[in-house]
Amino acid sequence: MTETYRKTPLQLSHGCVVMSMSPDLLGDGLSRMRRDLLELVASSGARGVVLDFSAIEVLDATEFAEVRGTISVVGMMGAKCVVSSLQPGVVGTLVDLGVDISDLVGARDLDDAFVRVGAAARDSVNGEPD
Amino acid sequence: MTIRENTDVTLTMVNARMAALEMGFDDPSSRQIATAVAELARNILKYAGEGSVIVKEIRRGKAIGLEVTATDRGPGIEDVEAAMKDGFSSSGTLGLGLPGVRRMMDEVEIDTRRGDGTTIVARKWC
């Protein structure tokens, strides 16, 4: 059977799953993308997921809610999720939209994201009782 | 531009940003316009199922601006005043995004009648 959709842009690097967010975030492929992401997190045993937003120029409140949903399910899989490379203009409009960004972990770029995922994983281990 | 599905929202949003940049809006303003357009288009999908969003250049005296007109034949907004407050929603957890639209645009006008649709006009000056 022919693959009708393009593949989900997922990569494994530094023990993390990196997902490149594409501008048609809410297109028909979203639920499949999320499923592919969770399957790779499970099969690879990755401790972290980095959502790479470098290609995203505009993010509306509905899309942001989907991102939050993805972050939540990644958390349910026991992995830490870091939001990487958000453009300043996008962050500005998130503030305008009045959405809650308080508990998200952000990173300047992919290098920074890997460091933060590592730090988050260590914190979570340290935070658990012996 | 007719709004019927999510890809229409994305396309309208991208076109609005391009139009804003071509008119001379700076980068942050063009993103605010695009985000506001996306919010209005998303509302059409969510509440009316179908509608249209028109983006055009306008002039008032020497001022140049961009005007967004979002029209649908949906159920209308029951309480406009409440819809303009942060956190208000009549469908699920997300609000209408209208307070955000008002913060990102300079002028917002809402014309709505219960059972007879909604027209929202939003303008931003260059």
Side-chain angles (χ1 to χ4, degrees):
Chain A
M1 204 174 154
T2 323
E3 175 73 77
T4 40
Y5 299 100
R6 61 185 164 68
K7 281 186 176 174
T8 303
L10 294 170
Q11 293 178 79
L12 259 178
S13 179
H14 294 68
C16 296
V17 177
V18 179
M19 181 156 104
S20 303
M21 307 305 280
S22 75
D24 56 343
L25 196 64
L26 291 185
D28 300 329
L30 180 79
S31 58
R32 185 183 48 86
M33 274 177 65
R34 200 181 277 172
R35 193 187 60 221
D36 290 352
L37 170 65
L38 294 179
E39 277 173 8
L40 185 55
V41 169
S43 65
S44 66
R47 294 298 307 269
V49 170
V50 178
L51 303 179
D52 174 18
F53 278 83
S54 53
I56 302 296
E57 307 222 314
V58 177
L59 194 62
D60 67 57
T62 308
E63 291 172 324
F64 183 73
E66 293 293 339
V67 171
R68 284 207 83 104
T70 303
I71 292 171
S72 298
V73 291
V74 167
M76 291 299 290
M77 299 289 294
K80 296 286 172 183
C81 201
V82 174
V83 174
S84 176
S85 317
L86 268 180
Q87 297 179 19
V90 174
V91 177
T93 54
L94 288 179
V95 174
D96 289 328
L97 288 170
V99 297
D100 181 19
I101 52 175
S102 57
D103 58 345
L104 301 188
V105 180
R108 280 188 298 279
D109 51 31
L110 285 180
D111 285 345
D112 187 27
F114 293 132
V115 170
R116 286 172 194 275
V117 165
R122 275 198 305 278
D123 286 349
S124 114
V125 170
N126 291 340
E128 284 166 9
D130 293 330
Chain B
M1 173 87 195
T2 304
I3 305 296
R4 262 195 215 103
E5 52 188 320
N6 281 313
T7 45
D8 297 331
V9 178
T10 307
L11 196 59
T12 308
M13 174 171 94
V14 170
N15 287 341
R17 175 139 193 258
M18 290 301 151
L21 288 172
E22 270 172 31
M23 284 174 60
F25 281 95
D26 61 15
D27 183 79
S29 299
S30 75
R31 291 176 200 253
Q32 287 180 314
I33 289 167
T35 309
V37 164
E39 292 300 320
L40 295 174
R42 240 15 123 192
N43 281 347
I44 289 175
L45 275 190
K46 191 155 52 165
Y47 294 95
E50 190 180 322
S52 74
V53 172
I54 297 162
V55 174
K56 66 174 181 183
E57 188 177 321
I58 51 166
R59 280 165 198 274
R60 187 183 288 167
K62 281 182 182 169
I64 298 175
L66 184 147
E67 184 180 86
V68 184
T69 306
T71 311
D72 67 61
R73 303 285 294 168
I77 303 169
E78 201 167 323
D79 187 343
V80 174
E81 211 173 299
M84 293 306 285
K85 286 184 187 148
D86 275 310
F88 172 82
S89 169
S90 56
S91 85
T93 52
L94 277 175
L96 289 169
L98 293 181
V101 172
R102 188 156 64 177
R103 280 193 285 272
M104 293 183 283
M105 304 294 282
D106 294 325
E107 298 166 19
V108 178
E109 289 159 16
I110 301 174
D111 180 14
T112 183
R113 259 172 237 130
R114 284 195 67 184
D116 198 29
T118 302
T119 296
I120 299 180
V121 179
R123 299 181 197 93
K124 195 173 180 76
W125 300 99
C126 213

